[in-house]
Amino acid sequence: MHYYRYSNPEVSCWYKYLLFSYNIVFWLAGVAFLAAGLWAWSEKGVLSDLTKVTGLHGLDPVVLVLVVGIVMFTLGFAGCVGALRENICLLKFFCGTIVFIFLLELAVAVMAFLFQDWVRDRVKEFFENNIKSYRDDIDLQNIIDSLQRINHCCGAQGPEDWDFNIYFDCKSESKSREKCGVPFSCCIPDPAQKVVNTQCGYDIRKKSKNQWDDQIFVKGCIHALEAWLPRNIYIVAGVFIAISLLQIFGIFLARTLISDIEAVKASNAF
């Protein structure tokens, strides 16, 4: 006697719960970003006065954190619910958004390679705009200070760029003590000093440029970043490839699960 087993289409539990686990990480990361962003805004009093968001002419890093948090939270939620409830609409939304982000990253990388001069001009403009708002936001200030200190640079093209800021501008009528100076992050650190001298950049640009080399970094941050990239190209490429592989893996899981669900629905229709 022979027994025949007819295989019916079914949703793979492996793909279903693997996609759920994949997205729960996204969702939790999104929650963490949102919590950090809202906490930072509450510390700066933005939540009680939303006009402060538009008052900053440079980049508020908290806005970037919140945008990333919202995107990750939304995608993680759609992927988790879509996988558990086998909801094709949510899965297609998750998959389509990941594909869009992946193509956008690829386009940006290609454009940055093909139009390097244009990218350099935009970066210069972006950095100068943020220099103008250096004293307006503590988070922006910390990012610029970290960038200058880590890369041993000062300003976008050089220390003179700090004339874009009203507090450091040599030609302004401001009575600021920082006039014609640079932030302390531009100063060459003294290994003997255990405490950071936040006044080390005062009046430095009143001196001749020959004296700058011994006290502050004279290389612009754009040139420093251009020199940093070739030295760390393998790290940058590795990070880009790792992110791309994670995105492709998520797309594969979502598309496979969608195919399984559609096959089950088609079989039940007959």
Side-chain angles (χ1 to χ4, degrees):
M1 184 179 292
H2 298 281
Y3 295 93
Y4 296 93
R5 184 174 181 269
Y6 296 95
S7 59
N8 294 320
E10 61 180 17
V11 176
S12 171
C13 290
W14 281 103
Y15 289 125
K16 179 177 180 177
Y17 291 106
L18 193 57
L19 182 61
F20 173 78
S21 301
Y22 177 93
N23 279 283
I24 199 69
V25 175
F26 264 90
W27 184 77
L28 291 174
V31 171
F33 274 102
L34 283 173
L38 292 174
W39 173 80
W41 262 4
S42 67
E43 289 292 304
K44 294 192 290 186
V46 175
L47 295 181
S48 59
D49 183 7
L50 292 177
T51 59
K52 292 183 179 180
V53 178
T54 57
L56 180 65
H57 299 293
L59 169 70
D60 186 350
V62 180
V63 173
L64 183 61
V65 172
L66 286 172
V67 169
V68 172
I70 290 171
V71 171
M72 295 183 72
F73 179 89
T74 305
L75 285 179
F77 180 80
C80 287
V81 176
L84 286 180
R85 302 292 296 176
E86 298 178 8
N87 187 303
I88 291 181
C89 289
L90 287 176
L91 290 174
K92 284 184 175 180
F93 168 76
F94 167 78
C95 185
T97 306
I98 294 292
V99 169
F100 173 76
I101 293 173
F102 175 75
L103 293 177
L104 186 62
E105 292 170 349
L106 195 60
V108 169
V110 172
M111 294 287 286
F113 179 76
L114 294 178
F115 302 99
Q116 296 182 20
D117 292 336
W118 182 86
V119 172
R120 188 182 296 109
D121 291 339
R122 298 291 77 75
V123 172
K124 177 178 177 291
E125 182 181 342
F126 176 77
F127 202 99
E128 289 173 352
N129 287 335
N130 285 291
I131 285 177
K132 294 177 184 178
S133 305
Y134 176 76
R135 287 297 187 204
D136 298 340
D137 184 84
I138 186 63
D139 294 320
L140 176 62
Q141 181 177 315
N142 289 334
I143 285 181
I144 293 177
D145 283 335
S146 298
L147 181 65
Q148 293 188 144
R149 190 166 56 248
I150 292 172
N151 292 284
H152 294 174
C153 60
C154 187
Q157 301 281 5
E160 295 95 338
D161 288 338
W162 281 99
D163 278 337
F164 289 112
N165 187 283
I166 190 172
Y167 296 101
F168 296 92
D169 186 6
C170 288
K171 299 181 291 295
S172 74
E173 297 179 359
S174 170
K175 296 182 180 180
S176 169
R177 182 63 187 87
E178 296 174 311
K179 183 177 180 179
C180 225
V182 292
F184 74 94
S185 54
C186 286
C187 297
I188 298 174
D190 185 354
Q193 286 185 339
K194 294 183 179 180
V195 179
V196 177
N197 179 11
T198 57
Q199 300 180 0
C200 60
Y202 285 9
D203 302 323
I204 185 65
R205 288 189 295 125
K206 291 180 179 178
K207 303 177 182 178
S208 65
K209 291 186 177 181
N210 294 331
Q211 297 177 283
W212 291 5
D213 291 342
D214 297 330
Q215 295 180 266
I216 61 173
F217 304 120
V218 294
K219 181 168 60 175
C221 289
I222 292 178
H223 299 302
L225 290 173
E226 288 176 343
W228 176 89
L229 187 58
R231 296 197 307 267
N232 298 272
I233 189 64
Y234 292 113
I235 296 175
V236 174
V239 170
F240 180 79
I241 291 172
I243 293 174
S244 299
L245 289 176
L246 283 173
Q247 291 172 331
I248 293 171
F249 182 60
I251 295 168
F252 166 75
L253 290 176
R255 287 306 311 168
T256 304
L257 191 55
I258 289 171
S259 298
D260 285 354
I261 297 170
E262 288 177 339
V264 170
K265 287 186 175 182
S267 67
N268 292 337
F270 293 102

